[in-house]
Amino acid sequence: MELTERQKRIIQIVKENEPISADNIAKHLYLSKPTLRTDLTILTMTGILDARPKVGYFFAGQNFEPLLFEDLYEKSISEIMVPPVVIKKEATINDAVTMLFMHDVGTLYVTENQVLLGIISRKDLLRSTISNTSINKVPVAMIMTRMPNVVTLQEDERILDAGYKIIQHQIDSLPVISKDNPALVIGKVSKTVVLKHFIDEAMHLKK
Amino acid sequence: MELTERQKRIIQIVKENEPISADNIAKHLYLSKPTLRTDLTILTMTGILDARPKVGYFFAGQNFEPLLFEDLYEKSISEIMVPPVVIKKEATINDAVTMLFMHDVGTLYVTENQVLLGIISRKDLLRSTISNTSINKVPVAMIMTRMPNVVTLQEDERILDAGYKIIQHQIDSLPVISKDNPALVIGKVSKTVVLKHFIDEAMHLKK
């Protein structure tokens, strides 16, 4: 829902003068009270203003701007993606674990000249370290999930697509693939990145 | 925003008869057109209905119910929490890794008679398996994050609190603690559980 300029102005007047009667709001705007009736009804129904009989209008919500489906779910993932932590395919499992802890991430992308070859998760590494794998010799290419078996995102997909894929495929991280060259990885959208987006939007609304 | 019964009825009439003029909506409801003016303005402004001059009203959105801050962020975490996978403090690191893979979870809660002693993450286990720890001998109690150093949730906290704690503390899982007995763990809220809630709400709105 898009507020009109007049509705935004009314909210401002109420915030500065609460409690304030409809008559006085009308005076501030040099308009008649009947002209404002629909605006005041809308602002009250949406919970932005609160009206108390014989007292006047109050600013009711912390939520000045209404929650928008577009902002929450339909933004492009390019607005929230982060740089991936990458590793070479010749690196050992031991190297990978060290890198995982150094960067405090859950997933490493195995690349060669920015081309995505596969990904390695904490779970893959744990499976290797618990078994008798020679972690100082075996290269990550041996244990990675290999393309094209990796679930990826196109750079023009939406945040809802990212969240849906993460939940559906029970994965932690989605490599973002270039639209121009579908071999190249240009970013990462993890479970944390998507969740942080939803929480940031809420904190922003509560400000 | 809460729709009135009359507004819901108008939406129903428009859905079944679109395009339909304000006059005809009024006839359906045995009301006068001026009586409906505010309702139609509200339904149009919120994007639920769409009005085209000389044609009439259409049902505009896939989003019948507007996105509600309360539904998304202010529900109690007890509505989304799941049962935790628990392990005894005497279990070995090897037992813990096996259990993690068996249940396909990221975190185990170490408990004794439902009392929370600590938690163990994939990261904790990876740290142990990569070092020279005797994974068949060392009990999980040796490597767990111990209470009271575990970030927890009260059962009456909100979904926004859960998401905020997960992001702020960079953790994957929050044990839910009983309100009556703060030693007991009664559920789990993981990063996945919170993200799934946000995605489910969106899919529900798009239906």
Side-chain angles (χ1 to χ4, degrees):
Chain A
M1 160 175 177
E2 193 79 47
L3 296 179
T4 63
E5 282 311 308
R6 193 204 277 166
Q7 288 161 357
K8 289 182 187 166
R9 186 83 189 90
I10 292 172
I11 295 168
Q12 205 52 44
I13 291 166
V14 173
K15 278 180 127 177
E16 287 164 7
N17 302 281
E18 64 179 9
I20 179 170
S21 67
D23 280 325
N24 283 330
I25 296 171
K27 275 182 203 155
H28 270 271
L29 291 165
Y30 306 103
L31 292 169
S32 72
K33 191 172 148 184
T35 311
L36 293 184
R37 207 182 44 189
T38 305
D39 288 325
L40 288 171
T41 307
I42 289 169
L43 292 173
T44 311
M45 284 207 51
T46 48
I48 296 172
L49 298 187
D50 194 8
R52 285 182 221 156
K54 297 188 186 167
V55 185
Y57 288 89
F58 291 84
F59 179 64
Q62 300 169 300
N63 308 332
F64 182 96
E65 292 291 333
L67 202 54
L68 295 178
F69 194 86
E70 300 90 273
D71 285 346
L72 270 179
Y73 295 112
E74 301 199 328
K75 275 187 187 161
S76 161
I77 50 120
S78 61
E79 292 192 38
I80 61 165
M81 71 183 188
V82 296
V85 178
V86 301
I87 192 168
K88 293 195 165 128
K89 66 181 193 298
E90 299 82 11
T92 65
I93 293 174
N94 203 11
D95 295 336
V97 174
T98 306
M99 193 174 272
L100 208 80
F101 276 98
M102 290 271 287
H103 294 271
D104 199 19
V105 289
T107 312
L108 300 173
Y109 294 178
V110 184
T111 61
E112 192 163 39
N113 301 323
Q114 219 191 320
V115 171
L116 184 66
L117 306 177
I119 71 172
I120 299 184
S121 68
R122 242 176 233 164
K123 208 163 134 185
D124 298 327
L125 291 169
L126 188 56
R127 198 184 291 109
S128 300
T129 56
I130 197 80
S131 66
N132 292 320
T133 315
S134 319
I135 58 169
N136 289 311
K137 286 186 189 154
V138 176
V140 289
M142 289 278 290
I143 64 155
M144 70 185 180
T145 301
R146 193 174 296 275
M147 287 296 282
N149 302 320
V150 178
V151 183
T152 59
L153 280 173
Q154 297 287 333
E155 62 177 303
D156 56 357
E157 288 194 84
R158 309 279 133 193
I159 289 171
L160 181 57
D161 302 318
Y164 186 76
K165 285 184 181 182
I166 287 172
I167 297 300
Q168 278 309 98
H169 298 279
Q170 305 186 340
I171 49 184
D172 280 328
S173 177
L174 292 161
V176 180
I177 297 300
S178 161
K179 218 181 154 186
D180 299 329
N181 183 345
L184 301 187
V185 58
I186 58 169
K188 170 175 110 163
V189 174
S190 66
K191 210 185 273 176
T192 307
V193 167
V194 182
L195 182 58
K196 184 169 184 306
H197 162 72
F198 291 128
I199 301 304
D200 284 349
E201 287 287 324
M203 296 323 251
H204 172 75
L205 283 169
K206 288 190 91 175
K207 259 195 303 208
Chain B
M1 161 174 175
E2 193 80 46
L3 296 178
T4 63
E5 282 313 307
R6 193 204 276 166
Q7 288 162 357
K8 288 181 187 165
R9 186 84 189 89
I10 293 172
I11 294 168
Q12 204 53 42
I13 291 166
V14 173
K15 278 180 127 178
E16 287 163 9
N17 303 280
E18 63 178 11
I20 179 170
S21 67
D23 280 324
N24 283 331
I25 297 171
K27 274 181 204 154
H28 270 272
L29 291 166
Y30 306 103
L31 292 170
S32 72
K33 189 171 148 185
T35 311
L36 294 184
R37 205 181 46 189
T38 304
D39 288 324
L40 288 171
T41 307
I42 288 169
L43 292 173
T44 311
M45 284 207 51
T46 48
I48 296 172
L49 298 187
D50 195 7
R52 283 182 224 158
K54 296 188 186 168
V55 184
Y57 287 90
F58 292 83
F59 179 64
Q62 300 170 302
N63 308 332
F64 181 97
E65 293 291 334
L67 201 55
L68 295 179
F69 195 86
E70 300 90 273
D71 286 346
L72 271 179
Y73 294 113
E74 300 199 329
K75 275 188 187 159
S76 161
I77 49 120
S78 60
E79 292 192 38
I80 61 166
M81 71 183 186
V82 296
V85 178
V86 300
I87 192 168
K88 292 195 166 127
K89 67 180 193 297
E90 298 84 8
T92 65
I93 292 175
N94 203 10
D95 295 337
V97 175
T98 305
M99 192 174 272
L100 209 80
F101 277 98
M102 291 272 286
H103 295 270
D104 198 19
V105 289
T107 312
L108 301 172
Y109 293 178
V110 184
T111 60
E112 192 163 39
N113 300 323
Q114 219 189 321
V115 172
L116 184 66
L117 305 178
I119 72 174
I120 298 185
S121 69
R122 242 176 233 163
K123 207 163 135 186
D124 298 327
L125 291 169
L126 188 56
R127 198 183 291 110
S128 300
T129 57
I130 197 81
S131 66
N132 292 320
T133 313
S134 319
I135 58 168
N136 289 309
K137 286 187 188 152
V138 176
V140 290
M142 289 277 291
I143 64 155
M144 70 185 181
T145 301
R146 192 174 297 275
M147 288 294 284
N149 301 321
V150 178
V151 183
T152 60
L153 280 172
Q154 297 288 333
E155 62 177 305
D156 56 355
E157 287 194 83
R158 309 279 133 195
I159 289 171
L160 181 56
D161 301 319
Y164 186 76
K165 284 184 182 181
I166 287 171
I167 298 299
Q168 279 307 98
H169 297 279
Q170 305 186 340
I171 49 184
D172 280 328
S173 178
L174 292 161
V176 180
I177 296 301
S178 162
K179 219 181 156 184
D180 299 328
N181 183 344
L184 301 187
V185 58
I186 58 169
K188 170 175 108 163
V189 174
S190 66
K191 213 185 270 177
T192 307
V193 167
V194 182
L195 182 58
K196 184 169 185 305
H197 161 74
F198 290 129
I199 301 305
D200 284 349
E201 288 287 324
M203 296 322 251
H204 171 76
L205 283 169
K206 288 191 92 177
K207 258 194 305 206

